[in-house]
Amino acid sequence: MASKISDYERKLVEMQYQLKENNAYMQDCFQDLNSWTKDIKEKEKKVLENPESIKNSNKGLPPIRNLATPKKKKKKVKKENVPVQKSKKLNSYDYRAWDKLDVVK
């Protein structure tokens, strides 16, 4: 007699399978990350031992922008004190002042 698996048991088995798959995926990701970290540390160690190798490897590249010439400070331009006649601002609610305004001027 074949025993039927209940929904609870089926979901439990599926969850266990998902956990195993996720664990394998995470282990693979961490293994890749660890190998990358190890490679970078080896490259860093080589650079620290021989800093001239960086200069030689960058020979064909153009210089870094704005590094070769220091920034020049801008000179402040003094403005002459010229009195500017400011027109008197009219309030939008002051109808008598608007009547007196000469637009043609």
PDB file of all heavy atoms in Angstrom, residues 48-66:
ATOM      1  N   LEU A  48      53.806  46.645  -4.213  1.00  0.00           N
ATOM      2  CA  LEU A  48      54.522  47.237  -3.087  1.00  0.00           C
ATOM      3  C   LEU A  48      55.996  46.883  -3.106  1.00  0.00           C
ATOM      4  O   LEU A  48      56.837  47.667  -2.657  1.00  0.00           O
ATOM      5  CB  LEU A  48      53.886  46.803  -1.764  1.00  0.00           C
ATOM      6  CG  LEU A  48      52.481  47.373  -1.495  1.00  0.00           C
ATOM      7  CD1 LEU A  48      51.916  46.780  -0.214  1.00  0.00           C
ATOM      8  CD2 LEU A  48      52.519  48.882  -1.418  1.00  0.00           C
ATOM      9  N   GLU A  49      56.339  45.712  -3.618  1.00  0.00           N
ATOM     10  CA  GLU A  49      57.736  45.302  -3.696  1.00  0.00           C
ATOM     11  C   GLU A  49      58.471  46.059  -4.805  1.00  0.00           C
ATOM     12  O   GLU A  49      59.642  46.374  -4.663  1.00  0.00           O
ATOM     13  CB  GLU A  49      57.838  43.800  -3.944  1.00  0.00           C
ATOM     14  CG  GLU A  49      57.450  42.960  -2.748  1.00  0.00           C
ATOM     15  CD  GLU A  49      57.422  41.476  -3.062  1.00  0.00           C
ATOM     16  OE1 GLU A  49      57.643  41.094  -4.236  1.00  0.00           O
ATOM     17  OE2 GLU A  49      57.172  40.698  -2.130  1.00  0.00           O
ATOM     18  N   ASN A  50      57.777  46.342  -5.912  1.00  0.00           N
ATOM     19  CA  ASN A  50      58.422  46.984  -7.053  1.00  0.00           C
ATOM     20  C   ASN A  50      57.518  48.103  -7.577  1.00  0.00           C
ATOM     21  O   ASN A  50      56.772  47.913  -8.534  1.00  0.00           O
ATOM     22  CB  ASN A  50      58.685  45.945  -8.153  1.00  0.00           C
ATOM     23  CG  ASN A  50      59.547  46.497  -9.253  1.00  0.00           C
ATOM     24  OD1 ASN A  50      60.043  47.609  -9.165  1.00  0.00           O
ATOM     25  ND2 ASN A  50      59.711  45.718 -10.311  1.00  0.00           N
ATOM     26  N   PRO A  51      57.605  49.319  -7.006  1.00  0.00           N
ATOM     27  CA  PRO A  51      56.728  50.405  -7.456  1.00  0.00           C
ATOM     28  C   PRO A  51      57.059  50.928  -8.846  1.00  0.00           C
ATOM     29  O   PRO A  51      56.239  51.584  -9.468  1.00  0.00           O
ATOM     30  CB  PRO A  51      56.934  51.497  -6.402  1.00  0.00           C
ATOM     31  CG  PRO A  51      58.191  51.165  -5.708  1.00  0.00           C
ATOM     32  CD  PRO A  51      58.410  49.693  -5.866  1.00  0.00           C
ATOM     33  N   GLU A  52      58.236  50.647  -9.367  1.00  0.00           N
ATOM     34  CA  GLU A  52      58.605  51.092 -10.713  1.00  0.00           C
ATOM     35  C   GLU A  52      57.786  50.381 -11.781  1.00  0.00           C
ATOM     36  O   GLU A  52      57.640  50.888 -12.888  1.00  0.00           O
ATOM     37  CB  GLU A  52      60.099  50.845 -10.960  1.00  0.00           C
ATOM     38  CG  GLU A  52      61.008  51.724 -10.139  1.00  0.00           C
ATOM     39  CD  GLU A  52      60.856  53.190 -10.501  1.00  0.00           C
ATOM     40  OE1 GLU A  52      60.717  53.498 -11.699  1.00  0.00           O
ATOM     41  OE2 GLU A  52      60.865  54.026  -9.588  1.00  0.00           O
ATOM     42  N   SER A  53      57.240  49.225 -11.457  1.00  0.00           N
ATOM     43  CA  SER A  53      56.458  48.486 -12.455  1.00  0.00           C
ATOM     44  C   SER A  53      55.195  49.251 -12.831  1.00  0.00           C
ATOM     45  O   SER A  53      54.713  49.141 -13.957  1.00  0.00           O
ATOM     46  CB  SER A  53      56.098  47.099 -11.931  1.00  0.00           C
ATOM     47  OG  SER A  53      55.260  47.217 -10.791  1.00  0.00           O
ATOM     48  N   ILE A  54      54.661  50.036 -11.916  1.00  0.00           N
ATOM     49  CA  ILE A  54      53.469  50.826 -12.216  1.00  0.00           C
ATOM     50  C   ILE A  54      53.809  51.925 -13.214  1.00  0.00           C
ATOM     51  O   ILE A  54      53.087  52.149 -14.182  1.00  0.00           O
ATOM     52  CB  ILE A  54      52.881  51.448 -10.930  1.00  0.00           C
ATOM     53  CG1 ILE A  54      52.353  50.359 -10.020  1.00  0.00           C
ATOM     54  CG2 ILE A  54      51.769  52.420 -11.257  1.00  0.00           C
ATOM     55  CD1 ILE A  54      51.877  50.882  -8.687  1.00  0.00           C
ATOM     56  N   LYS A  55      54.928  52.607 -12.989  1.00  0.00           N
ATOM     57  CA  LYS A  55      55.326  53.683 -13.889  1.00  0.00           C
ATOM     58  C   LYS A  55      55.576  53.157 -15.294  1.00  0.00           C
ATOM     59  O   LYS A  55      55.237  53.797 -16.274  1.00  0.00           O
ATOM     60  CB  LYS A  55      56.566  54.386 -13.355  1.00  0.00           C
ATOM     61  CG  LYS A  55      56.305  55.172 -12.089  1.00  0.00           C
ATOM     62  CD  LYS A  55      57.555  55.834 -11.589  1.00  0.00           C
ATOM     63  CE  LYS A  55      57.291  56.572 -10.279  1.00  0.00           C
ATOM     64  NZ  LYS A  55      58.512  57.160  -9.736  1.00  0.00           N
ATOM     65  N   ASN A  56      56.186  51.969 -15.394  1.00  0.00           N
ATOM     66  CA  ASN A  56      56.469  51.392 -16.695  1.00  0.00           C
ATOM     67  C   ASN A  56      55.187  50.937 -17.398  1.00  0.00           C
ATOM     68  O   ASN A  56      55.095  51.003 -18.618  1.00  0.00           O
ATOM     69  CB  ASN A  56      57.438  50.216 -16.572  1.00  0.00           C
ATOM     70  CG  ASN A  56      58.811  50.668 -16.099  1.00  0.00           C
ATOM     71  OD1 ASN A  56      59.185  51.819 -16.277  1.00  0.00           O
ATOM     72  ND2 ASN A  56      59.550  49.757 -15.487  1.00  0.00           N
ATOM     73  N   SER A  57      54.214  50.482 -16.647  1.00  0.00           N
ATOM     74  CA  SER A  57      52.992  49.986 -17.267  1.00  0.00           C
ATOM     75  C   SER A  57      52.105  51.133 -17.748  1.00  0.00           C
ATOM     76  O   SER A  57      51.249  50.945 -18.606  1.00  0.00           O
ATOM     77  CB  SER A  57      52.208  49.107 -16.294  1.00  0.00           C
ATOM     78  OG  SER A  57      51.744  49.882 -15.198  1.00  0.00           O
ATOM     79  N   ASN A  58      52.307  52.340 -17.225  1.00  0.00           N
ATOM     80  CA  ASN A  58      51.488  53.486 -17.606  1.00  0.00           C
ATOM     81  C   ASN A  58      52.165  54.385 -18.651  1.00  0.00           C
ATOM     82  O   ASN A  58      51.735  55.502 -18.861  1.00  0.00           O
ATOM     83  CB  ASN A  58      51.148  54.333 -16.369  1.00  0.00           C
ATOM     84  CG  ASN A  58      50.222  53.614 -15.429  1.00  0.00           C
ATOM     85  OD1 ASN A  58      49.497  52.716 -15.835  1.00  0.00           O
ATOM     86  ND2 ASN A  58      50.237  54.001 -14.171  1.00  0.00           N
ATOM     87  N   LYS A  59      53.208  53.894 -19.300  1.00  0.00           N
ATOM     88  CA  LYS A  59      53.952  54.725 -20.248  1.00  0.00           C
ATOM     89  C   LYS A  59      53.097  55.181 -21.420  1.00  0.00           C
ATOM     90  O   LYS A  59      53.179  56.326 -21.834  1.00  0.00           O
ATOM     91  CB  LYS A  59      55.171  53.971 -20.777  1.00  0.00           C
ATOM     92  CG  LYS A  59      56.398  54.180 -19.949  1.00  0.00           C
ATOM     93  CD  LYS A  59      57.594  53.582 -20.634  1.00  0.00           C
ATOM     94  CE  LYS A  59      58.843  53.913 -19.845  1.00  0.00           C
ATOM     95  NZ  LYS A  59      60.024  53.340 -20.435  1.00  0.00           N
ATOM     96  N   GLY A  60      52.293  54.341 -21.987  1.00  0.00           N
ATOM     97  CA  GLY A  60      51.527  54.678 -23.183  1.00  0.00           C
ATOM     98  C   GLY A  60      50.250  55.448 -22.886  1.00  0.00           C
ATOM     99  O   GLY A  60      49.566  55.882 -23.797  1.00  0.00           O
ATOM    100  N   LEU A  61      49.928  55.651 -21.628  1.00  0.00           N
ATOM    101  CA  LEU A  61      48.676  56.315 -21.274  1.00  0.00           C
ATOM    102  C   LEU A  61      48.865  57.822 -21.188  1.00  0.00           C
ATOM    103  O   LEU A  61      49.934  58.304 -20.840  1.00  0.00           O
ATOM    104  CB  LEU A  61      48.172  55.792 -19.924  1.00  0.00           C
ATOM    105  CG  LEU A  61      47.857  54.303 -19.863  1.00  0.00           C
ATOM    106  CD1 LEU A  61      47.471  53.921 -18.441  1.00  0.00           C
ATOM    107  CD2 LEU A  61      46.739  53.952 -20.809  1.00  0.00           C
ATOM    108  N   PRO A  62      47.832  58.584 -21.498  1.00  0.00           N
ATOM    109  CA  PRO A  62      47.940  60.042 -21.364  1.00  0.00           C
ATOM    110  C   PRO A  62      47.977  60.429 -19.889  1.00  0.00           C
ATOM    111  O   PRO A  62      47.561  59.652 -19.026  1.00  0.00           O
ATOM    112  CB  PRO A  62      46.657  60.554 -22.026  1.00  0.00           C
ATOM    113  CG  PRO A  62      45.712  59.417 -21.964  1.00  0.00           C
ATOM    114  CD  PRO A  62      46.545  58.172 -22.028  1.00  0.00           C
ATOM    115  N   PRO A  63      48.463  61.633 -19.586  1.00  0.00           N
ATOM    116  CA  PRO A  63      48.542  62.040 -18.173  1.00  0.00           C
ATOM    117  C   PRO A  63      47.159  62.234 -17.570  1.00  0.00           C
ATOM    118  O   PRO A  63      46.177  62.462 -18.278  1.00  0.00           O
ATOM    119  CB  PRO A  63      49.308  63.364 -18.226  1.00  0.00           C
ATOM    120  CG  PRO A  63      49.085  63.872 -19.603  1.00  0.00           C
ATOM    121  CD  PRO A  63      48.962  62.658 -20.480  1.00  0.00           C
ATOM    122  N   ILE A  64      47.110  62.159 -16.289  1.00  0.00           N
ATOM    123  CA  ILE A  64      45.855  62.350 -15.576  1.00  0.00           C
ATOM    124  C   ILE A  64      45.457  63.809 -15.695  1.00  0.00           C
ATOM    125  O   ILE A  64      46.282  64.705 -15.525  1.00  0.00           O
ATOM    126  CB  ILE A  64      46.008  61.948 -14.093  1.00  0.00           C
ATOM    127  CG1 ILE A  64      46.380  60.476 -14.008  1.00  0.00           C
ATOM    128  CG2 ILE A  64      44.731  62.224 -13.333  1.00  0.00           C
ATOM    129  CD1 ILE A  64      46.721  60.026 -12.614  1.00  0.00           C
ATOM    130  N   ARG A  65      44.180  64.053 -15.973  1.00  0.00           N
ATOM    131  CA  ARG A  65      43.716  65.430 -16.159  1.00  0.00           C
ATOM    132  C   ARG A  65      43.850  66.241 -14.881  1.00  0.00           C
ATOM    133  O   ARG A  65      43.638  65.736 -13.791  1.00  0.00           O
ATOM    134  CB  ARG A  65      42.252  65.436 -16.599  1.00  0.00           C
ATOM    135  CG  ARG A  65      42.091  65.014 -18.037  1.00  0.00           C
ATOM    136  CD  ARG A  65      40.675  65.209 -18.434  1.00  0.00           C
ATOM    137  NE  ARG A  65      40.026  63.901 -18.310  1.00  0.00           N
ATOM    138  CZ  ARG A  65      38.747  63.689 -18.431  1.00  0.00           C
ATOM    139  NH1 ARG A  65      37.929  64.676 -18.641  1.00  0.00           N
ATOM    140  NH2 ARG A  65      38.265  62.499 -18.329  1.00  0.00           N
ATOM    141  N   ASN A  66      44.207  67.496 -15.056  1.00  0.00           N
ATOM    142  CA  ASN A  66      44.317  68.473 -13.977  1.00  0.00           C
ATOM    143  C   ASN A  66      45.354  68.107 -12.922  1.00  0.00           C
ATOM    144  O   ASN A  66      45.338  68.664 -11.841  1.00  0.00           O
ATOM    145  CB  ASN A  66      42.962  68.711 -13.305  1.00  0.00           C
ATOM    146  CG  ASN A  66      41.953  69.291 -14.250  1.00  0.00           C
ATOM    147  OD1 ASN A  66      42.308  70.022 -15.160  1.00  0.00           O
ATOM    148  ND2 ASN A  66      40.697  68.964 -14.044  1.00  0.00           N
TER     149      ASN A  66
END
